[in-house]
Amino acid sequence: MPRKPTTRAFKTAWFSKAARKARIGDPALIAAIREVMQGQADDLGGGVFKKRLNKNMHRSIVLGKGRRHWVFAYLFAKKDRANIDDDELADFKKLAQAYDRMTDFELASALRQGDLLELCDEE
């Protein structure tokens, strides 16, 4: 019987630092990813999603083109800016495609190098 592909969630090293400063921990990010997977996020197209975090004080950009890998890529405070601009959205769409094309080897390498950090579900 073929194995069902596993859905995994990650955060970039940059996002990890920003989330730590905003006091947003992995349990909140895991809950947010579950909501994104259920359609409870703004779909900006091309595998780019905007998800509200931290009691609506922050916005995150989540990449999940193939919905096999979900990556928290960007975080900003609602009070600092309303949204990302069109150029940023285009760049995030390209990045979502790149993450979707990553092989297991490339993913393991990004994890080893610390470019990506995996969110671990404690359940």
Side-chain angles (χ1 to χ4, degrees), residues 36 39-45 48-52 59 83:
V36 172
Q40 299 172 3
D42 297 328
D43 186 345
L44 304 180
V48 180
F49 301 84
K50 182 171 69 172
K51 180 65 182 155
R52 290 159 182 80
R59 304 285 193 268
N83 213 338

Side-chain angles (χ1 to χ4, degrees), residues 9 11 16 28-29 36 41 56 60 69-70 84 91 93 95-96 110 116:
K11 56 188 174 181
S16 182
L29 297 176
V36 172
N56 206 22
S60 63
H69 302 137
W70 296 93
I84 59 173
D91 289 343
K93 286 179 179 181
L95 191 55
L116 289 178

Side-chain angles (χ1 to χ4, degrees), residues 73-100:
Y74 186 59
L75 182 71
F76 59 96
K78 181 181 171 186
K79 67 179 178 63
D80 294 339
R81 65 187 298 189
N83 213 338
I84 59 173
D85 63 35
D86 291 341
D87 289 342
E88 289 171 308
L89 178 58
D91 289 343
F92 282 126
K93 286 179 179 181
K94 289 176 190 168
L95 191 55
Q97 287 180 337
Y99 281 131
D100 185 48

Side-chain angles (χ1 to χ4, degrees), residues 8 10 69 102-112 116:
R8 295 170 71 186
F10 306 91
H69 302 137
M102 276 183 118
T103 65
D104 289 340
F105 178 79
E106 291 167 329
L107 187 59
S109 178
L111 288 166
R112 267 193 316 278
L116 289 178

Side-chain angles (χ1 to χ4, degrees), residues 5-39:
T6 315
T7 300
R8 295 170 71 186
F10 306 91
K11 56 188 174 181
T12 64
W14 181 93
F15 185 95
S16 182
K17 283 183 192 173
R20 196 169 35 251
K21 284 181 185 175
R23 299 175 192 258
I24 302 170
D26 282 3
L29 297 176
I30 290 167
I33 283 295
R34 286 191 180 123
E35 291 173 358
V36 172
M37 292 169 75
Q38 294 169 357

